[in-house]
Amino acid sequence: MAIIMDGNGRWAKHKGLDRSEGHRKGVDSVRKVVEAAVKAKVKWLTIYAFSTENWMRPDDEVDALMELMVLAVASETPQLVRQGVRLTMIGDTNRLPKDTQDSIKRCMDATKDGENLNLVVAISYSSRWELSEITKAICSDVEKGTISVDNIDDKTISNYLTKRSVPDVDLLIRTGGEVRISNFLLLHAAYAELCFTEC
C-alpha cells in the first residue's frame, strides 16, 4: 500500500489554525495508519511525507515541518519497535537538515529488525527526481561498460529504482479531496488501484 497523506494544512486553515498545527495532527494520522496496517498484516506501506516540491513552501513552514519530523520520529521510535515495524526512507535525504537526518538514522537503526511491517517514508522525494537519479546511474554504468545501451529495458529501469527491493504498489490512497497522484511513485504504482478520499 501507499498513501499520499494530503490535506493537513487545509484542515488547519479550515479550523482557523496555523498550517503547522495541521501537520502536527498529521503525525497522529500516521500513527493510526501504521497501527491499522500492522493489525491488517500489511507487509509494505509507503507514506508520502515531503515532496521535492515542498522545498518551495515558505521557509517558516519548511522549518516547522523539519522540526516536527525530528520530534515525531524520536517519539514514535519505541512504539515502532514494539509493533515490529521496520522504518526505511526514500528520497533526496541529503537535502534534509543534519538533525533531521540524524533522527531518521537513529530510528532506522532501532527498527532494523522489525518483521511485521516495512514502513517506507518518502521524504524529499518525487518520481521526477527518482527518474533523474535512475538516468544518471544508468548512464554512469554504460560509461563504465557495466551495461550495454542495447540491453536497457523496463527490467533494467526497475532494478535502478530507489525502491527496487520493494514490491509494486497494489493500492494507492490519497486523502484530502484532491484527485491526482502528485509525482508520487509513478513507476511503482503503474498498475495500482487508486482511491481518493474527501476526508
Side-chain angles (χ1 to χ4, degrees):
M1 288 181 64
I3 304 178
I4 302 171
M5 302 189 86
D6 186 35
N8 294 326
R10 290 192 301 279
W11 174 87
K13 190 174 178 183
H14 180 73
K15 298 280 186 183
L17 303 169
D18 189 76
R19 285 178 63 87
S20 62
E21 289 302 313
H23 298 308
R24 271 187 253 287
K25 196 74 172 168
V27 174
D28 295 336
S29 295
V30 172
R31 185 184 308 112
K32 290 174 185 174
V33 165
V34 169
E35 288 171 358
V38 170
K39 188 175 179 181
K41 296 186 175 10
V42 171
K43 283 298 175 187
W44 294 91
L45 173 63
T46 304
I47 293 174
Y48 207 4
F50 189 87
S51 73
T52 53
E53 290 88 356
N54 287 156
W55 290 112
M56 294 183 283
R57 291 184 176 187
D59 289 346
D60 58 342
E61 185 177 353
V62 171
D63 291 345
L65 278 166
M66 291 299 126
E67 185 180 330
L68 177 61
M69 194 128 2
V70 171
L71 295 172
V73 168
S75 66
E76 296 299 321
T77 297
Q79 178 70 0
L80 295 177
V81 172
R82 280 194 297 274
Q83 293 180 102
V85 177
R86 177 176 175 261
L87 179 75
T88 56
M89 298 278 165
I90 57 169
D92 188 7
T93 54
N94 290 330
R95 290 185 71 178
L96 302 174
K98 187 174 184 313
D99 59 340
T100 308
Q101 291 183 43
D102 291 345
S103 182
I104 290 167
K105 185 177 184 317
R106 283 192 296 272
C107 184
M108 288 172 59
D109 289 344
T111 62
K112 64 182 171 39
D113 297 323
E115 295 182 350
N116 293 333
L117 172 68
N118 293 283
L119 174 61
V120 182
V121 177
I123 182 168
S124 190
Y125 170 88
S126 74
S127 287
R128 289 177 178 174
W129 166 83
E130 186 172 40
L131 287 168
S132 298
E133 294 301 299
I134 290 168
T135 303
K136 287 188 273 190
I138 291 173
C139 288
S140 175
D141 283 348
V142 167
E143 284 179 353
K144 293 177 196 167
T146 309
I147 59 172
S148 163
V149 170
D150 296 332
N151 292 331
I152 297 173
D153 56 18
D154 61 337
K155 198 172 191 178
T156 309
I157 293 167
S158 292
N159 288 336
Y160 281 81
L161 286 169
T162 58
K163 279 185 66 179
R164 57 188 165 271
S165 63
V166 178
D168 283 345
V169 176
D170 296 312
L171 174 63
L172 174 63
I173 300 168
R174 180 180 184 135
T175 61
E178 297 287 344
V179 184
R180 52 193 166 88
I181 56 176
S182 296
N183 205 358
F184 180 50
L185 301 181
L186 297 180
L187 295 176
H188 309 90
Y191 293 98
E193 297 289 333
L194 304 179
C195 176
F196 301 97
T197 73
E198 288 298 323
C199 64

